[in-house]
Amino acid sequence: MSFIPKNIRTRLTLWFALTLAVILILYAGISVSLVYVNLKNNLDNHLQQDYEIVEEMIRIMPDGSIKIDSEDDPYFHERWFQLWSTDLSLLYENRPFTGKSLPRVSAAEKTEDGFHFHSLKLANGVKIRVLSGEINIDGKWMFIRLVRSEEGLWEELNDFLRLMLFALPAALLIAGFGGY
């Protein structure tokens, strides 16, 4: 007993549907990957904008203390950032979300040259994107970390993935009926 249909029309339709399925699966995989990269790049751009805004707010007082001029920034309380001294002691933290704390800056993170982006998963399961690096304000070197939540990124990616998973079988059914 063979599963291969004898009707040439049926065989051609099955081959057409199988070929289309492979192409659509490749397309969906590439599309999801590109959407992820685009969303991550957008998040990185927002972190860079946050850095430029926060950099303008930092003031070093004559006694060496740090003052943050936040009066001109209506979104200051939504920005999550930390300033660390060169000996890795926390100088300042603005944390808009309660109950979420970052791990201490590691020596390996501090020794990386320039600014760099990386993702972290906090102890409470929250995924975040971090921009960190050394900064010089008025001759005083500090280490800065700016943070944004990745929750929106993952929600959008899951929505797009669900759309792809719905569209793939629908496209195959339409193509199968149209080809037969």
Side-chain angles (χ1 to χ4, degrees):
M1 183 169 181
S2 175
F3 177 70
I4 300 173
K6 299 203 183 288
N7 186 345
I8 188 77
R9 185 176 180 186
T10 305
R11 280 191 279 166
L12 285 174
T13 301
L14 288 175
W15 275 110
F16 172 69
L18 180 64
T19 304
L20 183 63
V22 169
I23 290 169
L24 288 177
I25 289 170
L26 286 173
Y27 170 75
I30 291 169
S31 295
V32 168
S33 298
L34 289 175
V35 166
Y36 171 72
V37 168
N38 188 32
L39 290 171
K40 191 170 73 166
N41 286 340
N42 285 342
L43 195 56
D44 291 349
N45 288 338
H46 286 295
L47 280 168
Q48 281 184 309
Q49 290 171 1
D50 286 351
Y51 166 75
E52 291 171 8
I53 292 168
V54 168
E55 182 183 34
E56 293 296 319
M57 288 190 273
I58 301 172
R59 301 286 177 257
I60 305 297
M61 304 310 290
D63 64 352
S65 64
I66 295 173
K67 182 179 185 295
I68 306 293
D69 291 329
S70 61
E71 297 86 28
D72 297 335
D73 184 15
Y75 301 108
F76 176 75
H77 296 291
E78 296 175 14
R79 299 188 199 287
W80 188 3
F81 67 95
Q82 295 178 325
L83 294 172
W84 297 78
S85 67
T86 53
D87 63 352
L88 299 181
S89 59
L90 185 62
L91 300 173
Y92 184 87
E93 181 175 30
N94 188 52
R95 184 172 40 168
F97 310 106
T98 58
K100 298 178 183 177
S101 61
L102 293 174
R104 293 189 56 81
V105 174
S106 66
E109 183 180 1
K110 187 181 177 299
T111 56
E112 292 186 26
D113 290 334
F115 285 90
H116 60 280
F117 297 96
H118 59 280
S119 295
L120 288 175
K121 187 172 185 178
L122 299 179
N124 60 0
V126 174
K127 295 178 181 178
I128 57 172
R129 189 82 175 148
V130 179
L131 169 63
S132 57
E134 287 189 330
I135 182 174
N136 186 342
I137 304 290
D138 298 332
K140 183 173 182 173
W141 284 96
M142 295 176 278
F143 189 80
I144 187 170
R145 286 203 297 191
L146 295 107
V147 180
R148 282 200 174 230
S149 173
E150 286 186 347
E151 290 174 358
L153 176 145
W154 290 108
E155 286 174 11
E156 285 187 48
L157 193 63
N158 284 335
D159 290 345
F160 185 71
L161 188 58
R162 277 193 290 273
L163 175 68
M164 287 297 200
L165 290 175
F166 171 76
L168 179 69
L172 288 175
L173 282 173
I174 292 169
F177 283 122
Y180 191 75

